[in-house]
Amino acid sequence: MTETLSMNLNGERATLSPALLDKYNQPGPRYTSYPTAPEWDDAFGAEDLRQAFCEANRKAQPAPLSLYFHLPFCQALCLFCGCNTVISKNRKVTNPYLDHLKKEMATVSENIEPSRQVEQLHWGGGTPTYLSPDEIVNLYAAIEQHFSFAPDAEIGIEIDPRATTEEHCRVLANLGFNRLSMGIQDFNPLVQQTVHRVQPYDLTRALFEYCRTLGFTSINVDLIYGLPHQTLESFGDTVEKIIAMNPDRIAVFSYAHVPWLKKQQGSFAKHLPQGLEKFRIFHQAIARLTDAGYRYIGMDHFARPDDELCKAQDQRSLHRNFQGYTTKANCDLYGLGVSSISGLEAVYAQNWRDLPAYYAAIDRGEWPTMRGMRVSAEDQLRRAVINRLLCHGLVIKSEIEREFGIHFDDHFALELARLADLERDQLVRREDDRIAVAALGRIFIRNIAMVFDAYLQTPAMQQKVFSRTL
Ligand SMILES: C[S@@+](CC[C@H](N)C(=O)[O-])C[C@H]1O[C@@H](n2cnc3c(N)ncnc32)[C@H](O)[C@@H]1O
Ligand code: SF4
């Protein structure tokens, strides 16, 4: 096939050939952290995390807080789902979970200096609105008992329109939630039936419009490209329907096919669009969303130009954490609930990923830490480079040199040499004082970041299997 695809990314043109797509569409991490989670291990435990929390309190200026609560329950499994979920139709499962979550919160908050304010709170899942409105009010009250909030805190929640009532939305707005992220994925009936997620457009649109009347500051919607039976035409229709709804932000995730981790994904494998066919679906979404005025922020995310993510990107203050892109670069992240992740300047840690182990640790009066890692000075340096690539598409060498006391060209001589190949393919430009990501490099940004990942070169890591970069 000799056909090439030409695209316009925020004013810069890029051309992609099938050969380049093959070359760069390889398994690779998504860099929600660096070092990435497969590097963390159980040599790092609860006491290490507790000590890291105490050290964070003792800093001259302790960082503000970003809190993440994982609410894992869903009524039924969507077959594509790669999240950490607990599927149950028995609503009583929430009682023990909320009890344990409150115990965890009490222990964690005892180790956080009370003057440190919460600047960001996020409830993710699973489906947080699996909780009843009363349970939501009750959990929120417990959080307020243990933590104090900055007046302009970002308070967000993921909602599944199929499991969310107008009452849920009113309760959330009254509590002070100001950000919603709505799971949509695809409006096509055949795609929806195949992935066991039937979600009518009318129901979704009605809930979306209702939320608008409640005055949430920002509404995001999630779509996935590369789902079974998706075609250019069918996904184009989904994208048009989304544009008509006019959300503030849109995530167009690349479907992550990992049947060795999520067996149920195997059921529709033969109907998946692949390679150039899958990429064309994304390419069309980029064209339609940018024509409609959205800006491509990077790594699957789009936002209106007046959205604070765009402003932060222009000012090079944009940051990335486990919840995606954020303007809250300076926060320490504390994750509560099953499988949740905490990320401090020099530490990552993850809670037990299954309910019995999570409950058992809390019942023993312990922190439910399963694994983690101390982030070395070299890791922090590489993380800074990777984050700048992912968030700003630009690394200014002198900034890194000042921050980390290194000579960039000497320290990264090997990496700069490896970038030569990506420069020939027009993904990146190596200049004297900077590394600039080119338009095509914004699509293959994970591949550029991978050049700076010291762990990918180790034999253990080469055996890990990630999803493909596109
Ligand atoms: C926790 S869910 C969102 C909330 C809610 N459970 C729902 O589905 O509406 C987070 C998002 O992850 C994305 N997601 C889940 N599995 C995925 C996969 N295998 N590949 C790409 N994105 C995926 C979906 O877009 C989903 O909306
Ligand atoms: S996509 Fe959302 S609703 Fe579906 S199983 Fe995953 S977490 Fe649950």
Side-chain angles (χ1 to χ4, degrees):
M1 208 186 303
T2 53
E3 180 196 11
T4 58
L5 280 177
S6 167
M7 64 200 108
N8 185 338
L9 279 174
N10 304 340
E12 214 187 317
R13 290 215 74 75
T15 307
L16 179 66
S17 67
L20 271 191
L21 182 67
D22 263 7
K23 179 170 171 184
Y24 289 109
N25 188 18
Q26 300 296 337
R30 291 183 56 80
Y31 294 111
T32 45
S33 69
Y34 179 82
T36 55
E39 285 307 315
W40 313 349
D41 63 32
D42 58 11
F44 183 100
E47 184 49 26
D48 299 301
L49 183 60
R50 202 188 63 76
Q51 277 177 20
F53 279 22
C54 296
E55 280 161 30
N57 289 328
R58 287 197 292 268
K59 285 192 173 166
Q61 272 200 319
L65 308 177
S66 171
L67 300 182
Y68 173 78
F69 284 78
H70 193 71
L71 299 154
F73 303 107
C74 298
Q75 278 243 23
L77 180 66
C78 310
L79 296 182
F80 61 79
C81 183
C83 305
N84 184 299
T85 60
V86 175
I87 308 299
S88 178
K89 293 206 186 304
N90 176 5
R91 303 222 150 242
K92 295 207 177 94
V93 286
T94 56
N95 282 334
Y97 189 74
L98 293 173
D99 286 347
H100 285 85
L101 198 52
K102 285 177 194 162
K103 283 189 191 142
E104 187 189 4
M105 208 185 328
T107 323
V108 167
S109 63
E110 270 171 21
N111 291 275
I112 297 179
E113 174 59 44
S115 62
R116 297 174 67 192
Q117 289 194 318
V118 177
E119 287 197 352
Q120 193 181 35
L121 170 69
H122 188 82
W123 290 12
T127 302
T129 49
Y130 184 97
L131 300 184
S132 69
D134 284 348
E135 286 172 321
I136 288 176
V137 171
N138 187 277
L139 175 61
Y140 196 84
I143 298 175
E144 278 186 314
Q145 246 175 33
H146 291 291
F147 299 96
S148 65
F149 282 74
D152 59 347
E154 258 181 29
I155 306 179
I157 182 168
E158 293 167 15
I159 66 168
D160 174 350
R162 300 168 307 156
T164 308
T165 61
E166 291 191 352
E167 189 193 351
H168 274 115
C169 300
R170 279 195 302 278
V171 163
L172 291 168
N174 287 338
L175 286 172
F177 279 82
N178 44 37
R179 271 144 219 281
L180 293 183
S181 180
M182 218 177 243
I184 294 181
Q185 329 310 346
D186 188 305
F187 281 127
N188 182 269
L190 175 61
V191 176
Q192 291 192 352
Q193 281 154 22
T194 309
V195 298
H196 291 188
R197 183 186 175 112
V198 174
Q199 179 175 339
Y201 171 68
D202 292 345
L203 172 141
T204 309
R205 175 116 200 206
L207 193 78
F208 184 93
E209 299 301 343
Y210 182 69
C211 291
R212 278 287 188 224
T213 67
L214 296 174
F216 291 98
T217 316
S218 170
I219 307 185
N220 171 79
V221 302
D222 287 344
L223 303 179
I224 303 181
Y225 73 95
L227 288 175
H229 294 296
Q230 250 177 13
T231 64
L232 254 190
E233 203 190 357
S234 74
F235 198 66
D237 183 53
T238 293
V239 170
E240 290 304 328
K241 288 189 163 95
I242 295 294
I243 290 172
M245 287 162 63
N246 195 20
D248 304 280
R249 296 178 188 175
I250 304 172
V252 187
F253 293 117
S254 167
Y255 165 59
H257 190 57
V258 284
W260 54 93
L261 296 176
K262 302 280 175 185
K263 282 205 179 54
Q264 75 280 358
Q265 292 183 339
S267 66
F268 49 64
K270 61 177 184 287
H271 301 297
L272 291 171
Q274 310 224 10
L276 195 60
E277 196 191 346
K278 177 177 177 185
F279 182 73
R280 278 154 150 275
I281 296 175
F282 184 47
H283 169 248
Q284 176 186 252
I286 296 176
R288 295 207 179 173
L289 291 174
T290 49
D291 282 354
Y294 287 90
R295 186 202 278 192
Y296 182 53
I297 298 280
M299 289 286 284
D300 319 322
H301 286 76
F302 297 80
R304 291 226 155 270
D306 56 353
D307 190 282
E308 58 186 11
L309 286 187
C310 294
K311 291 182 197 148
Q313 188 166 51
D314 291 341
Q315 293 159 2
R316 296 200 295 120
S317 60
L318 190 64
H319 186 69
R320 216 176 126 70
N321 65 16
F322 296 97
Q323 280 94 260
Y325 285 104
T326 167
T327 56
K328 307 283 182 190
N330 53 344
C331 291
D332 278 345
L333 173 67
Y334 294 87
L336 293 104
V338 67
S339 79
S340 284
I341 287 174
S342 296
L344 283 68
E345 190 182 14
V347 152
Y348 289 116
Q350 182 171 31
N351 280 352
W352 288 104
R353 285 186 292 191
D354 60 291
L355 279 185
Y358 171 74
Y359 287 168
I362 292 179
D363 290 341
R364 288 193 301 269
E366 294 168 7
W367 289 38
T369 313
M370 177 185 91
R371 61 174 178 170
M373 182 177 189
R374 283 201 180 278
V375 184
S376 69
E378 177 66 20
D379 294 333
Q380 291 182 36
L381 161 63
R382 286 176 185 266
R383 179 173 65 189
V385 173
I386 289 174
N387 273 343
R388 279 167 166 85
L389 289 168
L390 260 46
C391 294
H392 318 142
L394 185 67
V395 179
I396 300 198
K397 294 178 184 175
S398 58
E399 287 179 2
I400 298 285
E401 290 177 337
R402 266 198 306 279
E403 198 177 328
F404 293 93
I406 54 143
H407 185 268
F408 196 96
D409 288 352
D410 290 346
H411 196 96
F412 290 115
L414 199 68
E415 287 76 7
L416 287 166
R418 278 201 215 119
L419 283 180
D421 188 36
L422 287 81
E423 185 164 61
R424 265 190 302 278
D425 291 335
Q426 299 189 353
L427 268 61
V428 72
R429 287 186 297 274
R430 291 171 305 164
E431 296 169 13
D432 283 349
D433 63 336
R434 64 189 60 201
I435 301 168
V437 176
L440 199 55
R442 306 196 60 207
I443 302 287
F444 293 111
I445 193 67
R446 285 157 78 174
N447 302 70
I448 303 176
M450 282 158 73
V451 171
F452 290 89
D453 184 337
Y455 295 89
L456 282 183
Q457 321 305 330
T458 64
M461 200 62 169
Q462 278 166 2
Q463 289 181 2
K464 303 277 176 205
V465 190
F466 296 99
S467 62
R468 287 180 182 270
T469 49
L470 276 187

